[in-house]
Amino acid sequence: MTKLINPGLMKTSRRNVLRGSMLAGAAAMTGAAAMSAPRSPKMHGINATSSRLYRAADPQSADSNAKPADLSGYTRVKQELVAPPFAPAHEQVATGGPKIVEITMETEERLMVVDEDNGASVWALTYNGSVPGPLIIVHEGDMVELTLRNPTSSMMEHNIDFHASTGALGGGGLTHVYPGEECVLRWKATKPGCFTYHCAPGGDMIPYHVTHGMNGAIMVLPRDGLKDKDGNPLRYDRIAYFGEQDYYLPKDENGDYKTYEAAGDDYADSLEAMRGLIPTHSVFNGAVGALTGEGAIKANVGETVLMVHNQANRDSRPHLIGGHGNYVWESSFTDAPLQDMETWFVRGGSAVAAMYTFEQPGVYAYVNHNLIEGVMLGATAHVVVEGQWDNALMEQVVAPRSFEA
């Protein structure tokens, strides 16, 4: 079967091309004469580190001599994934024994507007059509059984690397799917905490896919739920899921953002922009202002919100303006949470959970407190809280007025 799957958008057989970033190299070498100049990738080659990573990321096969997993005692359940910033239905404290949690994710390559003010757009590479991909929630000891599908309408190969899993590059080596293919991966959630997942086809395609939105988070809760440093149970009323996405959108000679006809057309231009390591945008949930206005997160005074923050590529420093991180898990849920934090740290390639009980009504700004990114590049979200104001916590004694020197 012939299918458009490479960054140069040249017809290639599934069986005669290399994977990952090597696809573009193959296209540039074998098809330059047949392709129009504007569509031809301007490849700079792959450096040694990327080449080694590419070889590691190539599809792997499980050991044929391995014993079948013992699934006795497991109960099968389906988890219906929902679009960010929301979380799927789940138990905070697990009931019964471990479960096989069945989920389905479909890759989708879609044109998204990043900033309506200046027309910036991107051919986003997504899981289930959203940036970030949906939040997955299981408990320690559960099995995650993922069906990953890549529709025939896709231009590229995709896979998935779960930072929470063990072996085969986080499952990335066992989940390479071409357009029209699907696979099923089952893995055991042995470590509690919040973790990143992302696409990692190999070579330069790894950062290309991640910076085009193909990442998300999974939360592995302790079976007996979250606790403070003294072992007291902690409960939340709702989850707010923030996916911080850095984009590197190419510009033309006039400084205007370029547009492209299809996913992958921007490959060469994007690599050049990415090498500068300076994002054009750093946003929450796919676009500037996605979680403000009508998209703002809603809560009430007295409610406890668990804020899950994923950043698959760069460090971030979240801060809730007007509030705090009452409890913050920057690492595993097995560690005692940090308490009463003003700003917390999300290491690039990780996800973090922070819990806060809202005490005052109003609009709270949740920002990356690198304020250049938070204000100028777009990493700001709003939480709109309803309820009764408490003057004991804050009171405007005198409204702004003029005075005489």
Side-chain angles (χ1 to χ4, degrees):
M1 177 179 179
T2 299
K3 181 66 184 176
L4 300 176
I5 57 175
N6 60 13
L9 308 183
M10 182 186 66
K11 291 185 177 181
T12 52
S13 166
R14 292 189 183 201
R15 299 182 181 277
N16 67 3
V17 295
L18 296 174
R19 293 179 179 257
S21 62
M22 297 297 282
L23 283 173
M29 289 185 293
T30 63
M35 299 167 59
S36 62
R39 303 279 299 263
S40 178
K42 302 174 183 177
M43 295 299 295
H44 299 289
I46 305 171
N47 60 34
T49 301
S50 182
S51 295
R52 289 193 294 271
L53 187 55
Y54 157 71
R55 287 195 293 271
D58 207 35
Q60 301 178 10
S61 60
D63 187 349
S64 60
N65 296 321
K67 296 180 180 179
D70 182 5
L71 302 180
S72 59
Y74 285 88
T75 302
R76 284 188 173 271
V77 297
K78 291 184 182 293
Q79 182 166 108
E80 296 297 330
L81 301 180
V82 297
F86 304 105
H90 64 283
E91 297 178 321
Q92 295 189 40
V93 176
T95 58
K99 298 174 176 60
I100 300 174
V101 182
E102 300 176 356
I103 58 175
T104 299
M105 298 175 73
E106 184 167 299
T107 66
E108 181 181 347
E109 302 163 3
R110 55 181 295 238
L111 184 63
M112 289 179 53
V113 176
V114 175
D115 190 342
E116 292 182 351
D117 289 343
N118 54 32
S121 63
V122 64
W123 274 95
L125 310 179
T126 74
Y127 296 107
N128 286 17
S130 66
V131 177
L135 180 64
I136 304 164
I137 302 178
V138 298
H139 287 88
E140 183 181 8
D142 287 346
M143 293 277 193
V144 178
E145 188 168 288
L146 165 71
T147 298
L148 180 66
R149 293 173 177 157
N150 190 358
T152 56
S153 58
S154 292
M155 309 297 282
M156 298 182 186
E157 167 201 6
H158 299 293
N159 72 340
I160 190 165
D161 166 9
F162 286 102
H163 286 197
S165 68
T166 303
L169 300 172
L174 301 176
T175 54
H176 288 258
V177 283
Y178 280 118
E181 293 182 342
E182 68 175 6
C183 66
V184 179
L185 177 74
R186 186 175 62 241
W187 57 274
K188 188 173 184 178
T190 60
K191 295 176 171 55
C194 292
F195 300 88
T196 289
Y197 64 78
H198 62 89
C199 192
D204 293 342
M205 274 295 184
I206 298 174
Y208 178 83
H209 281 233
V210 170
T211 60
H212 280 65
M214 210 158 194
N215 59 84
I218 178 170
M219 182 165 69
V220 182
L221 289 166
R223 297 202 69 78
D224 55 356
L226 299 177
K227 296 182 179 181
D228 67 14
K229 61 182 178 60
D230 298 317
N232 299 310
L234 297 171
R235 299 289 185 268
Y236 48 88
D237 297 298
R238 66 182 69 200
I239 289 176
Y241 171 37
F242 302 91
E244 187 173 355
Q245 180 64 53
D246 49 317
Y247 290 121
Y248 304 77
L249 304 183
K251 297 181 179 180
D252 61 23
E253 60 276 7
N254 297 319
D256 297 322
Y257 289 104
K258 292 185 176 182
T259 58
Y260 299 89
E261 293 182 8
D265 277 6
D266 68 338
Y267 182 73
D269 291 339
S270 289
L271 289 192
E272 185 175 350
M274 288 157 53
R275 289 181 186 276
L277 301 179
I278 301 175
T280 56
H281 300 81
S282 181
V283 301
F284 290 131
N285 293 33
V288 174
L291 295 182
T292 64
E294 294 183 358
I297 294 163
K298 306 295 194 299
N300 295 302
V301 169
E303 283 191 327
T304 298
V305 178
L306 186 69
M307 298 168 284
V308 177
H309 187 123
N310 178 68
Q311 223 305 359
N313 197 55
R314 303 176 79 241
D315 295 346
S316 185
R317 305 150 188 82
H319 171 67
L320 180 67
I321 300 176
H324 304 87
N326 290 345
Y327 301 95
V328 178
W329 292 267
E330 287 188 353
S331 54
S332 171
F333 285 145
T334 57
D335 294 338
L338 302 170
Q339 290 187 230
D340 301 325
M341 300 295 291
E342 57 177 328
T343 299
W344 43 100
F345 185 50
V346 181
R347 298 163 180 81
S350 69
V352 165
M355 182 181 289
Y356 181 64
T357 302
F358 286 92
E359 301 181 63
Q360 295 277 39
V363 178
Y364 292 72
Y366 182 93
V367 302
N368 179 338
H369 214 285
N370 177 333
L371 294 176
I372 299 169
E373 298 191 28
V375 177
M376 299 175 66
L377 300 188
T380 295
H382 289 163
V383 182
V384 178
V385 179
E386 299 289 339
Q388 182 64 44
W389 185 264
D390 185 354
N391 276 332
L393 289 172
M394 180 182 287
E395 181 178 4
Q396 186 182 50
V397 179
V398 177
R401 64 185 181 186
S402 62
F403 69 96
E404 295 182 4

